[in-house]
């Protein structure tokens, strides 16, 4: 399917390997393949969800795109240019267009700065405030945008609840008028009744400003709710990407099936058939050969242990990386 | 009717702090029958964990104190019991599993030693017999090659496997009640499914009751027979699981159920989540009358006048709301 709009973000073959050093000479004895060849696109104004269990590489992917960590391999095209080699002023300019919201609203706000300082810092760095009055006005506008009051400006992070802190984090990200926000588990630390407030706020802001989100979370229900498309990751690789509706209605990868069937549904009358997975996620230092999932896969055959399945796109842009399911797409 | 296994009556567990008295549990009545799973659901500060820990007297006093109420375990009040008597109940009659399996296991002892600690404390057991008992428990909780793993230390186990060890520890004396405080919150979703299945399996095998403390409505729906919803230190609604999800009567329960996205109902286009306004309450600054009134979309002046009692609103269905 041809997309008439060029993607805002286009990630190809992204890899991040961490060296493990050992012995008295601290030689590289092994590598952790945290992200092992990830490719996807995000269109302007779109939300792509990335879901997977701990250690699957979803957060590393988000941080590599932001250049908060340096990718080992691969290209990241943002607004048509490769950003993997940007330095200095160009990198700073990029960061104006791309922002990130973190999981822990307690650790990601500077406790010694007032809210005005936290939100205003980005405006100052990027030279977006004409003078002190303009800065204050912009901070007030941002606070109102995220549902906080102007008088909150003089307070400090510890005076706020978890949900309010996450709103401050969102206001800080919005301050520089980005086009893409990487949301790394933005609601996982929040209470259930507060999660809905933040999800709704993110949706409202997206509509208002045409923002694109890379929404990273382990909670499949949240990801499905907010995303247009969802990518499922397992041990550093994307195993399936589809529209949120398609992924639930017609999951193709056996891991996606198992993941979906393991999500508890808040309805005691819902009929479930559970695909039980044996064992734990294998160690990413020595991931299984071939398809990383074959050691836990209920339908694996001999080929799966040898050959890495490619991520092949079929009808409705539904892509899957599974030898046994490639003929079904 | 048969006497409940555990009957908590008007329990108040308060904490004295510099800012004032935090009434973490403020008049909770709950009962659990033999072989039943009761889910206690609530957000942070609802008092669900303090209620659970109060049962086994795991509250530090001071700053905590049992301000009022009874905890009747098979008819006997646990509140006045001394450390030695409560130890006996903890080891042999009520087991407990905590959220964080890493911090609740001792890093310097093998898992085998920790599993059988309760057994060895109360009966003379040979080294061989204790080892065999530990292997048997590890096999029961489906840890592969238990003969080898019994001599391993907690750090050699993954998160899910550690939680299995915790369950083995809690079940070694075949308790009649297992208190599971957020047993799967720190685990990945596929591992969560394995652990919840294991708990259900153990429940059938031993015929024990489970008190499942959780914040996740999905976990409640799939694992409990009866549900108590807690808010700011009190139970605001209690019913059978099917009834609670089909006809929630308290506005807080209604809000909770409607505010969570569901993986099985991705509608065409976007649906907006219903949201409960405001923040989770500070227990030192509760509104007058109904504790939920400042966040409730139905609240009227009457709600601020006095605290609504938990009353029967339908057969086997209680709610603490004057409009329920």
């Amino acid at each position: 399917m041809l997309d008439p709009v060029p993607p805002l973000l286009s990630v190809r073959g992204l890899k991040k390997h961490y060296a493990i050093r050992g012995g008295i000479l601290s030689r590289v004895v092994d590598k952790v393949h945290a992200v092992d060849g990830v490719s996807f696109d995000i269109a302007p104004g779109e939300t792509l969800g990335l879901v997977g269990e701990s250690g699957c590489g979803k957060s590393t992917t988000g941080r590599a795109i932001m250049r908060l960590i340096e990718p080992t391999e691969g290209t990241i095209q943002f607004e048509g240019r490769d950003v993997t080699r940007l330095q200095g002023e160009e990198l700073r300019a990029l960061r104006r267009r791309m922002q990130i919201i973190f999981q822990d609203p307690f650790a990601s706000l500077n406790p010694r700065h007032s809210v005005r300082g936290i939100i205003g810092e980005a405006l100052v760095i990027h030279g977006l405030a004409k003078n002190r009055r303009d800065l204050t006005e912009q901070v007030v506008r941002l606070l109102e945008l995220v549902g906080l009051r102007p008088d909150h400006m003089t307070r400090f992070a510890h005076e706020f609840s978890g949900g309010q802190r996450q709103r401050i984090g969102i206001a800080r990200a919005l301050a520089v008028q980005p086009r893409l926000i990487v949301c790394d588990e933005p609601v996982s630390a929040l209470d259930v009744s507060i999660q809905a407030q933040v999800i709704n706020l993110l949706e409202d802001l997206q509509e208002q400003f045409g923002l694109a989100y890379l929404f990273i979370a382990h909670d499949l229900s949240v990801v499905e709710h907010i995303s247009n498309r969802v990518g499922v990751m397992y041990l550093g690789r994307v195993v399936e990407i589809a529209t949120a509706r398609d992924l639930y209605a017609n999951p193709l990868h056996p891991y996606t099936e198992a993941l979906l069937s393991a999500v508890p549904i808040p309805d005691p009358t819902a009929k479930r058939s559970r695909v039980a997975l044996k064992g734990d996620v294998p160690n990413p230092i020595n991931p299984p050969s071939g398809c990383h999932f074959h050691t836990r896969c209920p339908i694996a055959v001999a080929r799966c242990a040898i050959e890495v399945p490619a991520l092949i796109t079929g009808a409705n842009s539904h892509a899957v990386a599974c030898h046994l399911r490639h003929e079904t797409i | 009717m048969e006497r409940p296994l555990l009957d908590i009556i008007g329990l108040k567990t308060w904490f004295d702090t510099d800012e004032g008295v935090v009434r973490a549990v403020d008049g909770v009545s709950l009962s659990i029958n033999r072989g039943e799973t009761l889910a206690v659901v609530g957000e942070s500060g609802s008092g669900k964990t303090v209620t659970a820990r109060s049962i086994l007297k795991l509250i530090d006093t001071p700053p905590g104190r049992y301000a009022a109420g009874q905890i009747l375990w098979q008819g006997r009040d646990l509140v006045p019991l001394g450390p030695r008597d409560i130890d006996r109940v903890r080891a042999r009659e009520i087991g407990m599993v905590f959220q964080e399996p890493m911090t609740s296991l001792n890093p310097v002892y093998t898992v085998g030693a920790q599993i059988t600690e309760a057994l060895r404390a109360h009966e003379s057991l040979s080294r061989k017999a204790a080892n065999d008992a530990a292997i048997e428990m590890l096999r029961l909780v489906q840890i592969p090659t238990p003969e080898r793993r019994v001599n391993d230390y907690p750090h050699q186990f993954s998160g899910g496997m550690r939680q299995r060890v915790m369950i083995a520890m809690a079940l070694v004396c075949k308790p009649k009640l297992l208190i599971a405080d957020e047993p799967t919150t720190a685990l990945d979703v596929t591992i969560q499914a394995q652990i919840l299945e294991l708990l259900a399996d153990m429940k059938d095998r031993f015929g024990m009751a489970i008190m499942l403390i959780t914040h996740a409505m999905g976990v409640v729906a799939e694992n409990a027979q009866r549900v108590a919803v807690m808010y700011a230190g009190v139970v605001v609604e209690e019913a059978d699981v099917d009834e609670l999800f089909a006809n929630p009567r308290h506005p807080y329960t209604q809000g909770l159920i409607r505010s969570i996205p569901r993986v099985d109902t991705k509608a065409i286009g976007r649906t907006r989540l219903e949201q409960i306004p405001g923040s989770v309450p500070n227990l030192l600054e509760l509104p007058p009358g109904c504790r939920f009134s400042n966040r409730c979309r139905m609240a009227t002046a009457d709600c601020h006048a006095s605290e609504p009692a938990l009353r029967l609103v339908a057969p086997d269905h209680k709610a603490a709301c004057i409009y329920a």
Side-chain angles (χ1 to χ4, degrees), chain B residues 85-240:
Chain B
D85 291 325
I86 198 73
D87 247 5
R88 200 159 295 142
V89 175
R90 274 182 206 155
R92 326 216 50 157
E93 297 174 31
I94 305 177
M96 186 149 182
V97 178
F98 301 91
Q99 172 175 353
E100 206 10 274
M102 195 63 219
T103 50
S104 14
L105 288 168
N106 190 327
V108 301
Y109 289 101
T110 65
V111 300
Q114 295 185 62
I115 289 169
T116 53
E117 189 185 351
L119 280 180
R120 286 181 286 115
H122 295 280
E123 50 196 274
S124 55
L125 208 62
S126 73
R127 189 178 282 254
K128 170 89 172 59
N131 197 51
D132 288 349
I135 292 171
E136 189 46 42
M137 286 313 296
L138 289 175
R139 181 170 296 126
L140 206 60
V141 296
Q142 294 151 33
I143 288 184
T145 60
E147 306 78 12
R148 278 197 289 139
R149 302 307 307 261
V150 71
N151 294 318
D152 282 352
Y153 290 86
H155 75 269
Q156 293 168 288
F157 290 79
S158 67
M161 286 293 156
R162 266 181 229 141
Q163 201 54 291
R164 287 174 191 269
V165 171
M166 285 295 299
I167 292 169
M169 255 168 90
L171 297 186
V172 68
C173 290
K174 316 236 174 339
K176 297 194 183 81
L177 171 68
L178 178 72
I179 300 174
D181 187 4
E182 302 268 12
T184 59
T185 305
L187 305 176
D188 276 318
V189 59
T190 60
I191 309 299
Q192 163 170 287
Q194 292 172 2
I195 295 293
L196 291 172
E197 197 169 306
L198 175 71
L199 282 177
D201 183 37
M202 295 292 109
K203 182 186 149 174
D204 290 344
R205 193 181 287 248
F206 296 123
M208 65 184 179
I210 297 180
M211 182 174 180
L212 179 66
I213 317 280
T214 180
H215 68 280
M217 289 306 253
V219 170
V220 172
E222 294 192 356
N223 296 280
Q225 274 115 47
R226 220 150 43 80
V227 188
V229 181
M230 288 190 70
Y231 185 82
V234 295
V235 174
V236 295
E237 186 156 9
E238 190 191 329
D240 276 355

Side-chain angles (χ1 to χ4, degrees), chain A residues 234-249:
Chain A
Y234 187 78
L235 275 179
R237 294 179 186 156
V238 172
V239 297
E240 185 163 3
I241 297 189
T243 62
R245 288 185 64 203
D246 217 18
L247 191 81
Y248 185 80

Side-chain angles (χ1 to χ4, degrees), chain A residues 53-54 191-194 197 200 204 206 221 224-227 245 248 264-266 268 272 274 277 279-280, chain B residues 43-44 158 188 190-192 194 218 222 242 245 261 263-264 266 270-273 275-276 278 280 295:
Chain A
E53 297 181 279
S54 17
D191 268 306
V192 183
S193 72
I194 309 302
Q197 296 176 1
N200 286 345
D204 291 346
Q206 177 167 52
S221 331
E224 279 230 299
H225 174 85
I226 200 166
S227 304
R245 288 185 64 203
Y248 185 80
I265 292 180
R272 306 298 301 281
R274 188 147 280 165
L277 280 188
D280 290 327
Chain B
E43 300 178 279
S44 38
S158 67
D188 276 318
T190 60
I191 309 299
Q192 163 170 287
Q194 292 172 2
E222 294 192 356
D242 290 349
F245 280 88
V263 78
D264 60 334
K266 179 78 185 182
R270 259 184 193 166
T271 48
R272 208 176 155 76
L273 296 174
Q275 61 187 57
I276 302 176
V280 174
R295 300 176 71 191

